[in-house]
Amino acid sequence: DNQIRFVKSALWYHGYGRPELYRLPSDGSAGSRELLLAFSWLLHRLSLLEQLLARNRVKTGDETSVCTCEDDLPNSQTGTTKRAPEYGLEDRVDVRYLQWLNGRLRFQWRSLHAQHQEQCKLLHKIHLFTSGSHMDQTLGHFSVTETDLVRQPENYKQLLQLLEFETMQLEAFLEWKQLEPVYWQWMETVLDNMAEEGNMCKSQATHVEKSGLPKVTSCCPWAVSLTGQIDRLSRDLMTLRDQLHKLVTHRKAAWCEKVKTREEELQKEGFSATARKIEESVELKLLNLTHLCAPKKPQLHGSCRLVFRSKHPASKMGFGRSVSKEPVSAVSATEVIRELQMREASLERELKQLQEECRQRLDEIAEGLDGVICISP
């Protein structure tokens, strides 16, 4: 049950919205075709095999992930804020529990950051002490794996096995790429069959609904009076609906007139506030103008190999070398730091603007509360 719940929750998190999967029983007795569809969706949407190959790749060098891309929300995440069927949070959640989760997350984030800093210090020591020992002059130093093999040569057998296993995975992936069109043709037939079965089920349900009432009326003598009562209730409900519609229309028109009058009053009073907001927005855009008008550089994303460079002028441009097959010029750590600092400053300005908007909104709400005093922190 826990595995099935986890699979459903993970698919919901990634944006899989087919309701038939979430209606499957939790004992695993049915749903093989729904699981096949979900697996195929993951293959196409998330590039699942490529991610698995990248995660299981044997790292012989010291690498780090570098990303200077914009933090755009992927399409798969839109709509995932809704509550998942049968597995979401309850309607009422204690705020103190959310605060505890937030504090725990921040503590774990700080611990992870401290461990990453310690790892960087140890890597720097290894690269510094082994400088000039590597046969490859572009590197000039050993990685952690190579240093471990120098200290314990018997571990090379385990490394060789891992490399052979990775080679098998790559060969299987190449074979899959050759047969992938056949798989997707098969999935098209599966989808067509499921669509036909769904149409048949709908037609049968419609036929039962249409043929159900005459059978009941023909065999039950009291059904005629019951039908008359239902007709009277339907007429009463229709009359009430018309009355409510007229009432809502009248009140809506009165409310729109009141809102229009209030807007005219606020337009006279809030002209200066609106002008101040426009000035702040223009200043924020001017701060980013130099960054936006600068020539666009290719954004860094992916894994880069860490290469130690001494401080003499001949080797200033040597932060890392991409692992991809295409030749990529080396990137200096100072460039990455400068790019991230500019991104951090932009996000801080955006955060301050959003906080100011939230504060103004809370002040407007607080003014409408009678007998309540709100003290800002």
Side-chain angles (χ1 to χ4, degrees), residues 109-173:
W109 180 260
R110 291 177 181 175
S111 301
L112 179 62
H113 182 64
Q115 293 175 5
H116 184 67
Q117 285 184 328
E118 185 67 22
Q119 181 185 9
C120 290
K121 292 179 182 178
L122 296 176
L123 281 176
H124 177 72
K125 289 182 179 180
I126 293 176
H127 295 171
L128 182 62
F129 293 157
T130 61
S131 179
S133 304
H134 205 285
M135 295 179 60
D136 190 354
Q137 297 299 324
T138 59
L139 300 177
H141 59 80
F142 289 161
S143 63
V144 174
T145 304
E146 294 167 343
T147 306
D148 184 64
L149 289 177
V150 171
R151 295 179 60 189
Q152 300 176 355
E154 63 275 7
N155 291 340
Y156 81 94
K157 294 182 179 180
Q158 182 180 3
L159 179 62
L160 184 60
Q161 291 177 359
L162 293 175
L163 291 174
E164 291 177 351
F165 181 69
E166 183 182 4
T167 303
M168 294 173 57
Q169 287 183 336
L170 292 174
E171 291 176 352
F173 181 73

Side-chain angles (χ1 to χ4, degrees), residues 261-275:
T261 306
R262 183 59 178 167
E263 284 180 352
E264 293 177 354
E265 296 176 356
L266 291 176
Q267 188 176 5
K268 299 178 181 179
E269 298 175 358
F271 178 75
S272 59
T274 305

Side-chain angles (χ1 to χ4, degrees), residues 55-75:
R55 180 175 298 180
N56 297 330
R57 186 171 56 86
V58 180
K59 298 179 180 180
T60 57
D62 300 326
E63 299 174 359
T64 186
S65 59
V66 179
C67 180
T68 58
C69 303
E70 296 290 335
D71 297 332
D72 294 331
L73 187 65
N75 296 328

Side-chain angles (χ1 to χ4, degrees), residues 210-365:
K210 291 182 178 179
S211 60
L213 186 59
K215 291 182 180 178
V216 174
T217 55
S218 62
C219 63
C220 299
W222 45 266
V224 178
S225 60
L226 183 61
T227 305
Q229 294 178 3
I230 292 174
D231 292 337
R232 286 194 298 272
L233 288 175
S234 299
R235 288 193 296 270
D236 295 339
L237 289 174
M238 293 291 292
T239 305
L240 288 174
R241 190 192 68 173
D242 295 337
Q243 294 177 358
L244 287 175
H245 181 69
K246 292 179 181 179
L247 181 61
V248 168
T249 305
H250 176 70
R251 293 197 174 184
K252 186 176 181 180
W255 178 255
C256 290
E257 187 67 24
K258 186 184 295 185
V259 169
K260 184 178 180 180
T261 306
R262 183 59 178 167
E263 284 180 352
E264 293 177 354
E265 296 176 356
L266 291 176
Q267 188 176 5
K268 299 178 181 179
E269 298 175 358
F271 178 75
S272 59
T274 305
R276 186 172 62 253
K277 290 182 180 179
I278 293 175
E279 290 178 358
E280 293 176 355
S281 177
V282 170
E283 290 178 357
L284 182 62
K285 291 181 179 179
L286 286 176
L287 289 175
N288 295 329
L289 187 60
T290 56
H291 178 66
L292 293 175
C293 294
K296 293 292 183 180
K297 298 180 180 179
Q299 293 179 338
L300 301 175
H301 182 80
S303 179
C304 294
R305 179 164 184 172
L306 290 171
V307 178
F308 178 74
R309 290 286 185 257
S310 57
K311 295 183 179 180
H312 54 81
S315 59
K316 284 185 178 179
M317 297 296 292
F319 169 75
R321 183 160 302 196
S322 178
V323 186
S324 61
K325 296 179 180 179
E326 299 179 359
V328 180
S329 60
V331 182
S332 174
T334 55
E335 294 180 3
V336 178
I337 293 174
R338 190 183 307 112
E339 190 76 20
L340 294 177
Q341 286 177 348
M342 296 176 63
R343 178 66 177 155
E344 180 186 8
S346 176
L347 290 175
E348 286 182 355
R349 289 192 295 268
E350 184 178 355
L351 176 62
K352 290 180 180 179
Q353 184 180 7
L354 292 175
Q355 288 177 346
E356 184 63 27
E357 292 178 359
C358 291
R359 190 178 295 108
Q360 293 178 0
R361 178 60 179 163
L362 289 175
D363 292 339
E364 294 176 358
I365 295 175

